[in-house]
Amino acid sequence: MKRAFVMLALCASPLFTSPALADATGDLGLVIERATGSLLVIDRSDHAAVGRVEGLGDLSHASLTYSPDERFAYVFGRDGGLSKVDMLERTVVARTVQAGNSIGGAISDDGSLVAVSNYEPGGVKVFDAGTLGLVADIPAEGKTIGLVDVPGRRFAWTVWDTGEVFLGDFAGAEPQITALGNAGKNPFDAVITDDAHTYLVGLFGEKGVTAYDLWSDQPEPRKFLTDYGKTEEDMPVYKMPHLQGWAFTEGQYALPAVGHHELLWVDRASLEEVATTPVHGQPVFVIAQPASPYVWVNFATPLNDTVQVVDSRTHTVVATLNPGKAVLHMEFAPRGAEVWISSRDDNKVLIYDTRTREKVAEIAADAPSGIFFTARAHQPGL
Amino acid sequence: MKRAFVMLALCASPLFTSPALADATGDLGLVIERATGSLLVIDRSDHAAVGRVEGLGDLSHASLTYSPDERFAYVFGRDGGLSKVDMLERTVVARTVQAGNSIGGAISDDGSLVAVSNYEPGGVKVFDAGTLGLVADIPAEGKTIGLVDVPGRRFAWTVWDTGEVFLGDFAGAEPQITALGNAGKNPFDAVITDDAHTYLVGLFGEKGVTAYDLWSDQPEPRKFLTDYGKTEEDMPVYKMPHLQGWAFTEGQYALPAVGHHELLWVDRASLEEVATTPVHGQPVFVIAQPASPYVWVNFATPLNDTVQVVDSRTHTVVATLNPGKAVLHMEFAPRGAEVWISSRDDNKVLIYDTRTREKVAEIAADAPSGIFFTARAHQPGL
């Protein structure tokens, strides 16, 4: 009797049912609850929150990546905390505060290594994905940004202060670090294309974007978009755009114009600007709806109650939605049937059908920001 | 005591450990064992077979697709059997023999519908993915081939005998079937591009390939490659190539030349042939290594002990491997770090590191053919 009682107690939970022991993980996800340092576990098929993981530290600017089996999440917190979360057990299984201030990370293509890019002190630390034991510590002469995974157990990153770009190879016993030259003045973020062909570095200290061909044996910087918006006055930048959201569609890059109410369209092969699209505000995320001609855009404060949908063929806005207050992020179902949108100040995650563009469900969440489905585990650069 | 014994007995297994009750499904997969009508459950991270599911009927020409949560596989057998397999419990949870002879199927973008294309009688049947209850029965005036999922709860398919192409919309209460005209003489297979933009139909009764723009409101047939190899004599076709393996890379399609020892490279935008690559034999699968410039090719009998790697930038063969006897299929880890290769007549699945192109492990399997990782659940067209 006593044992039965204990088991029941273990299964009880004030908010959520107990973790299903036999559970598939392909349609799970995590929502960052920035104010409380917690993660909401979501089930995409059920349109439901199914658990919560607490004790993640400062998640006011956080991101995460997934293990190849879609069981574990590696969470990169603002406070330099790297936490490994078990989606099935809904617990933190390992945690290290590995720097004073971190801004993101990536997992190697084989799932064996997790790298974190840090501000204080600057540099990149690489950890064993199983134990979170330190594998390599690569210093930098400034804040590191734009850390991405590159096939072959490699990572690329950029230094804000110096503009330098590095490629690190961690396949052998000792890391091999190669300098790839200078991207430009104050690179603020970088991203790798979905085919891992091009590393794109966005510049803040000067106009432009710098591209590296990572399929080349000796990648060299190639600058483009060096004069966008030069005829207009720049506005103050209310929120730095995120480049991980850069959309790659129809042979083009769809980029946010820093300091302008505009999207910029660039031909992927020639790197020539082909069009601009006037939009509602300063773009933050520009994300391609999978298997469609559309990109979805959200905006910086104070215009952040709106989401727009733009057709990549005509470069025109085809829909304007008002999902809620302080829309911080959007995440698509991997085959594009739905988009999940976080409305921080409504404390909700809103689910839209992408075909009808109508809301089909909503989930309560505590000041939600980033939404991450486990399908990211299978995508290079995420 | 008795109860403890029963539980132990349930967990015992002559070949495999019991299904782990707490298991993630993101790195699982299934290998079709064609001779025995069974499926080998594989774990990608562990380089291991972890279970077997039996009783699938005739799997001599079989394929499968996955539910969005990566828990269930829908297996399409040669004998018209549609089986729903639980990867966690390793059991067949539902099975229906729905036609005399089926050749493949697809799952809708939201995971709610499974469609099967049949030879005898020809046509498409659509089933509820949960129960396998029949939802729609669309007859055809011949054998249906090239059935693919199209975003918005739609499917496209083609009829071998008549050359007709259809788009079926199953989002509403009643299916809406639209005829998309005639693709050409005896289409033998069709495929949809990874962005769901283009439906490509390969022709056998005449030279060429027909493309449909599925982003258009009124998709129309556009024929290309209509005169490839006309200066040479065609060889007998030992094995019809599979188009699901068509590679889309570097703005090109890499296509198998039916009846020739050649790959054909076609510009994705202009549909012009840009290059040919002489290869070891008649190509069967031409598959892009994710996040790389390479495509991997296997060949028809009797030259099927060889795999070649071709660079999509230079269109040259950069490696020739001899993995084993009767190489029938190749499946990449979704981020490209490994390729798993089935060698039917060696009764093995061989695992190669794609960076070194060296074998890192092998797994015993009974006459293996198709290899399918659960990551396919997240990819349009797979």
Side-chain angles (χ1 to χ4, degrees):
Chain A
M1 272 298 284
K2 206 169 193 178
R3 183 164 297 173
F5 176 75
V6 170
M7 288 181 70
L8 279 172
L10 278 171
C11 292
S13 162
L15 276 169
F16 299 107
T17 56
S18 67
L21 279 179
D23 207 355
T25 49
D27 60 349
L28 297 183
L30 292 168
V31 178
I32 290 171
E33 296 183 308
R34 46 185 292 140
T36 48
S38 54
L39 298 170
L40 195 65
V41 184
I42 48 177
D43 184 307
R44 191 155 48 77
S45 307
D46 294 346
H47 289 169
V50 294
R52 179 173 276 128
V53 183
E54 295 177 324
L56 278 299
D58 180 358
L59 298 187
S60 63
H61 190 280
S63 69
L64 58 86
T65 192
Y66 288 105
S67 64
D69 64 356
E70 299 181 325
R71 175 167 185 164
F72 299 103
Y74 300 91
V75 186
F76 312 102
R78 165 63 66 86
D79 57 4
L82 167 63
S83 309
K84 180 175 177 178
V85 169
D86 185 332
M87 309 273 291
L88 285 175
E89 303 286 348
R90 289 159 203 164
T91 54
V92 177
V93 292
R95 178 169 162 80
T96 172
V97 177
Q98 51 84 47
N101 187 308
S102 73
I103 62 139
I107 187 165
S108 62
D109 63 345
D110 66 344
S112 67
L113 301 169
V114 173
V116 190
S117 64
N118 293 320
Y119 271 8
E120 287 173 21
V124 171
K125 285 189 178 172
V126 180
F127 298 89
D128 180 291
T131 63
L132 296 194
L134 187 68
V135 171
D137 186 354
I138 318 294
E141 293 182 7
K143 298 169 178 171
T144 51
I145 57 100
L147 175 71
V148 300
D149 55 284
V150 181
R153 277 113 283 168
R154 296 180 297 166
F155 297 100
W157 62 89
T158 299
V159 183
W160 159 270
D161 309 70
T162 64
E164 291 170 295
V165 175
F166 295 95
L167 184 63
D169 185 337
F170 298 89
E174 290 295 321
Q176 306 291 329
I177 313 296
T178 306
L180 300 186
N182 199 290
K185 199 172 168 193
N186 288 144
F188 68 97
D189 199 1
V191 69
I192 192 166
T193 54
D194 46 5
D195 55 3
H197 192 165
T198 309
Y199 184 59
L200 292 163
V201 184
L203 303 176
F204 188 70
E206 61 181 297
K207 292 276 185 199
V209 177
T210 301
Y212 286 88
D213 176 358
L214 294 187
W215 290 359
S216 161
D217 291 333
Q218 295 186 303
E220 289 180 0
R222 186 174 164 208
K223 216 172 279 187
F224 64 100
L225 276 183
T226 49
D227 56 359
Y228 74 83
K230 274 219 171 123
T231 54
E232 308 154 50
E233 197 148 334
D234 280 10
M235 294 177 284
V237 177
Y238 293 112
K239 165 99 183 91
M240 204 74 99
H242 280 272
L243 303 197
Q244 200 174 80
W246 282 9
F248 314 123
T249 182
E250 269 292 90
Q252 304 166 92
Y253 303 131
L255 309 176
V258 179
H260 295 266
H261 289 197
E262 246 176 21
L263 294 194
L264 308 172
W265 299 86
V266 173
D267 181 89
R268 200 163 165 160
S270 71
L271 298 183
E272 296 290 326
E273 185 176 331
V274 291
T276 61
T277 302
V279 289
H280 175 74
Q282 293 185 7
V284 176
F285 283 102
V286 185
I287 306 182
Q289 175 186 326
S292 89
Y294 304 112
V295 303
W296 293 54
V297 190
N298 72 336
F299 302 100
T301 182
L303 298 170
N304 59 358
D305 64 342
T306 297
V307 165
Q308 288 188 311
V309 185
V310 184
D311 189 317
S312 64
R313 298 166 295 184
T314 59
H315 310 111
T316 55
V317 173
V318 294
T320 298
L321 311 175
N322 293 93
K325 284 183 268 181
V327 170
L328 295 193
H329 195 224
M330 303 168 286
E331 175 88 337
F332 286 92
R335 293 164 73 202
E338 290 177 348
V339 60
W340 291 42
I341 298 174
S342 58
S343 170
R344 184 193 61 199
D345 295 350
D346 283 337
N347 294 303
K348 283 179 184 171
V349 172
L350 311 156
I351 305 169
Y352 280 74
D353 181 305
T354 54
R355 184 167 181 185
T356 61
R357 297 192 190 120
E358 283 174 8
K359 191 173 74 174
V360 291
E362 60 181 54
I363 294 172
D366 204 342
S369 57
I371 306 170
F372 301 85
F373 290 132
T374 54
R376 288 172 172 250
H378 303 325
Q379 295 178 290
L382 298 183
Chain B
M1 273 299 285
K2 205 169 193 176
R3 184 165 296 172
F5 177 76
V6 171
M7 288 180 72
L8 278 172
L10 278 172
C11 292
S13 164
L15 276 169
F16 299 107
T17 56
S18 67
L21 280 178
D23 207 354
T25 50
D27 61 349
L28 297 183
L30 292 168
V31 178
I32 289 169
E33 297 183 307
R34 48 184 291 138
T36 48
S38 54
L39 298 170
L40 195 64
V41 185
I42 49 178
D43 184 307
R44 191 155 47 77
S45 308
D46 294 345
H47 289 169
V50 293
R52 182 172 273 129
V53 183
E54 295 177 323
L56 279 300
D58 180 358
L59 298 187
S60 64
H61 191 279
S63 69
L64 59 85
T65 192
Y66 289 106
S67 64
D69 64 357
E70 298 182 326
R71 175 167 187 164
F72 299 103
Y74 300 91
V75 185
F76 312 102
R78 166 63 68 84
D79 57 3
L82 167 62
S83 307
K84 180 176 178 178
V85 170
D86 184 333
M87 306 274 291
L88 285 174
E89 304 286 348
R90 289 161 203 163
T91 53
V92 177
V93 292
R95 180 169 160 83
T96 171
V97 178
Q98 51 84 47
N101 188 308
S102 73
I103 63 138
I107 187 166
S108 62
D109 62 346
D110 66 344
S112 68
L113 301 170
V114 173
V116 191
S117 65
N118 293 319
Y119 272 7
E120 289 172 22
V124 172
K125 284 189 179 174
V126 180
F127 298 89
D128 179 292
T131 62
L132 297 193
L134 187 68
V135 171
D137 186 354
I138 317 292
E141 292 182 8
K143 299 170 178 171
T144 52
I145 58 103
L147 175 70
V148 300
D149 55 284
V150 180
R153 277 114 282 169
R154 297 180 297 168
F155 298 99
W157 62 89
T158 299
V159 182
W160 158 271
D161 310 69
T162 64
E164 292 170 295
V165 175
F166 295 95
L167 184 63
D169 184 339
F170 298 89
E174 289 295 322
Q176 305 292 328
I177 313 296
T178 307
L180 301 186
N182 200 291
K185 199 172 169 193
N186 288 143
F188 68 98
D189 199 1
V191 69
I192 190 166
T193 54
D194 45 6
D195 56 3
H197 192 164
T198 310
Y199 184 60
L200 292 163
V201 184
L203 303 176
F204 189 72
E206 60 182 298
K207 291 275 186 201
V209 177
T210 302
Y212 286 89
D213 176 359
L214 293 188
W215 291 359
S216 160
D217 291 334
Q218 294 186 305
E220 288 182 1
R222 184 173 164 208
K223 216 171 278 187
F224 64 100
L225 277 182
T226 48
D227 56 359
Y228 74 84
K230 273 218 171 127
T231 55
E232 309 153 50
E233 197 147 335
D234 281 11
M235 294 176 286
V237 176
Y238 294 112
K239 165 98 182 94
M240 204 73 98
H242 280 273
L243 302 198
Q244 199 173 78
W246 282 10
F248 314 124
T249 183
E250 271 290 272
Q252 303 165 92
Y253 304 130
L255 310 176
V258 179
H260 295 268
H261 290 197
E262 246 176 20
L263 294 194
L264 310 173
W265 299 86
V266 173
D267 181 89
R268 200 163 165 160
S270 71
L271 297 183
E272 296 290 324
E273 185 176 331
V274 289
T276 61
T277 303
V279 289
H280 175 74
Q282 293 186 7
V284 176
F285 283 103
V286 185
I287 306 183
Q289 175 186 326
S292 91
Y294 305 111
V295 303
W296 292 53
V297 189
N298 73 335
F299 303 100
T301 183
L303 298 170
N304 58 359
D305 65 342
T306 297
V307 165
Q308 288 187 311
V309 185
V310 184
D311 189 317
S312 63
R313 297 165 297 183
T314 60
H315 310 110
T316 55
V317 173
V318 295
T320 298
L321 310 177
N322 292 93
K325 283 183 269 182
V327 169
L328 296 192
H329 195 223
M330 303 169 287
E331 176 87 336
F332 286 92
R335 294 165 73 203
E338 291 178 346
V339 60
W340 291 43
I341 298 174
S342 58
S343 169
R344 183 193 61 200
D345 294 351
D346 283 337
N347 294 303
K348 283 178 183 170
V349 173
L350 310 157
I351 305 168
Y352 280 73
D353 181 305
T354 53
R355 184 167 180 184
T356 61
R357 297 191 189 119
E358 283 175 9
K359 191 174 75 176
V360 291
E362 58 181 54
I363 294 171
D366 204 343
S369 58
I371 306 171
F372 301 85
F373 289 132
T374 53
R376 288 173 172 248
H378 302 325
Q379 296 178 289
L382 297 182

